[in-house]
Every structure is written in structure tokens, then in C-alpha cells.
Amino acid sequence: MHTPAGFEPALSMPAVVSAGAVAFAWRRDKLLVSGAADAPRDGPMPMLPGFATIAALGLAGTPHFLGAQDGVDCIAVNLPDNAPEPAGWHYAGLRSLFFRIPEPLLALAGRAFQIVEWDRTHRYCGRCGTPTRDKTGERAKECPACGQVAYPRVSPAMMVLVTRGRELLLARASRFPSGMYSALAGFVEPGETIEDCIRREVREEVNVEIAPPAYFASQSWAFPHSLMIAYTAEYAGGDMRPSDEEIADAQWFALDALPALPPGISIARRLIDATVARLRATGSC
Ligand SMILES: [Zn+2]
């Protein structure tokens, strides 16, 4: 997920909200969309409510202005945990909306969720416990007692696809769906560069040393606030074996014998597909 073309971010709610403004209304980790929760996946696409519809449905929450997508105002709304579910609408997890709403809306929903989640979890100063207030001029909360400022949290994580000639190193985490393998991934620790993190995680998870990694792409991942930064790296040594309790299995896979892979919306799949295409184009099978 990335910022859609045509999106202009902004901070302050307009004095008059435009009639066509769209609401990304979150109750806990679920988004208000039209239709029934058990509607068939190939049925009508779920729609987002207009901002004016929120009040008309008897709902109320804290609004956060996101900006405008092709001139249409976009507003995140933090609904209370006990907000009712109006007839004709339901609350849906973001993952359940993959491939069901257009990708630009999905990306904006992820952005909205991260801001709403930050709003909910920074109501009090982490240093002195005083209720915080919104800071003017930037997306931040400040403590009126001690001045501590809290910004929306973004947690960098790395993903790396290790190659050895024409083989890919793919691993199964215990939490993956049955049979699925993916590239290695892990969160950056304090004091580390992305490259430090990649070398450490590869060593820790599969006991392998790598050549300097090459950048591939990054993806915002709102579960709950990651920035996934993806690389490839060529094997440089070590006797590969899963050596972290999170890793159920890891193997070198030939290009023509790949296991089940993550779905196409994930950067993991794009990384694997692009690497397979590159290796196929550069050598003889
Ligand atoms: Zn404070």
C-alpha cells in the first residue's frame, strides 16, 4: 500500500466539509462499510459512507482530516468501541477488504487506521500521565504539563529475499497459513540501520551470511503501523538451517519448484515475483 496518485495530504479540518467528503470510520480495528457482513465476496463492492452519513446514521466520533483524493475530502473518524452497527452497514477488518475495494481506497483506509490508532493510544502523556491535546500545525499530540510531543508511530521492518544462484531462500513462520512460504522479515531494533537489521535477522533466523543487500521497494502496512522495506541479497556463506523458534521451516527453492506464496497485494509477493522474473531473464533454466 502506498500513497495513491492524486492524493493531497492535509492536517486541518476545512471550515466547511464538502458535501462529497468520504469517511473512514473505525470502530476498534474495523472499518464501517455498506452491505452485510456475510455478503458473498463476488457480490456488490462495499462502499464507504459519506462524512455527512456518519451523523445521519446516529454515529459520532473524533474526526481527523487526511487530505483530498482527486479533490474529494477524506476524513478518518475514531468511533467509540461501543458504536452501534447501523442497519445496511457493517464493520469489516482491513484484510477482509483486500481485492474488494479499490486499492487507492484501501491505502487511504490504512492511513486512516494508523492515525485513529495513534489518537486512541496517545490520550495521555507517556511521561507524566497528563491528558494530551492536539498540537497545532502538525499531526502530533502534546502534553500541556511537561511538553512531551507524540507523533503517529511508524515502525520500520525489513524484508529480504536471499538468493543463491538460481535458488530462493524461503521460510515458513509458524503463524503462516498451511504450506505458505515467504521471504525473511523482522523489525528494526534501536541503533540499527536497515542493512544491520537484515544481516542480523538472516543470521538469527537461518544461520546464513549475505552479500550487501540491494533495495527493492517499500510498503506501508497498517497492521498496525509498519513500514516494510524490502531487499534482495545473495548468499555469502553458512550452513542454512532454521535457527529461530518463529521459523517452522526454511528451504532453498528452485525457480520451477516454488511453494505456495503470499497473496499478490503484499510486498513479499512482489519481491518474489520480481526476483523470479529477473533470474529467469538472466540465465538458462
Ligand atoms: Zn507530560
Side-chain angles (χ1 to χ4, degrees):
M1 290 194 268
H2 55 88
T3 306
F7 181 73
E8 291 279 343
L11 275 181
S12 309
M13 284 290 284
V16 179
V17 175
S18 60
V22 172
F24 297 85
W26 289 91
R27 184 180 76 175
R28 296 177 184 262
D29 61 348
K30 295 204 162 64
L31 180 67
L32 184 69
V33 294
S34 66
D38 55 0
R41 281 188 72 84
D42 55 358
M45 197 182 264
M47 306 285 282
L48 291 165
F51 183 67
T53 306
I54 298 296
L57 291 172
L59 299 170
T62 312
H64 295 270
F65 194 63
L66 301 177
Q69 175 67 44
D70 297 318
V72 176
D73 287 339
C74 298
I75 300 167
V77 181
N78 181 8
L79 298 174
D81 289 356
N82 62 356
E85 188 167 74
W89 299 82
H90 71 284
Y91 295 98
L94 190 57
R95 276 195 170 90
S96 76
L97 296 170
F98 285 1
F99 308 114
R100 296 207 66 210
I101 64 174
E103 201 170 328
L105 280 184
L106 204 61
L108 293 174
R111 176 183 289 249
F113 174 73
Q114 293 182 64
I115 290 169
V116 162
E117 183 65 10
W118 160 76
D119 184 44
R120 288 176 188 153
T121 53
H122 292 80
R123 292 159 56 212
Y124 298 92
C125 174
R127 182 191 280 155
C128 76
T130 303
T132 55
R133 65 183 175 210
D134 290 339
K135 197 165 184 291
T136 47
E138 53 183 348
R139 185 95 63 198
K141 290 183 181 290
E142 65 182 349
C143 172
C146 76
Q148 166 100 334
V149 175
Y151 297 93
R153 194 186 325 174
V154 177
S155 303
M158 73 81 204
M159 171 170 289
V160 63
L161 180 55
V162 179
T163 53
R164 185 175 68 181
R166 299 173 62 72
E167 294 175 308
L168 308 184
L169 175 49
L170 299 171
R172 267 189 58 66
S174 326
R175 62 191 158 76
F176 282 3
S178 171
M180 193 187 93
Y181 284 73
S182 188
L184 301 173
F187 283 101
V188 178
E189 293 187 351
E192 284 185 329
T193 64
I194 299 281
E195 290 81 1
D196 292 338
C197 173
I198 292 171
R199 276 189 294 271
R200 174 182 56 77
E201 288 276 1
V202 173
R203 199 175 286 147
E204 284 178 3
E205 294 188 349
V206 292
N207 189 45
V208 157
E209 302 297 323
I210 51 169
Y215 177 73
F216 173 69
S218 67
Q219 180 181 49
S220 172
W221 198 240
F223 304 100
H225 41 64
S226 299
L227 173 65
M228 187 61 84
I229 309 166
Y231 286 76
T232 56
E234 180 67 13
Y235 169 85
D239 179 17
M240 198 281 284
R241 59 170 191 272
S243 43
D244 185 305
E245 58 189 18
E246 283 176 30
I247 304 288
D249 184 35
Q251 297 179 38
W252 294 106
F253 288 95
L255 297 187
D256 57 0
L258 294 177
L261 299 171
I265 195 157
S266 66
I267 195 168
R269 184 56 177 271
R270 286 170 46 215
L271 174 65
I272 294 167
D273 286 352
T275 305
V276 168
R278 172 170 59 82
L279 293 175
R280 285 218 165 104
T282 53
S284 56
C285 266

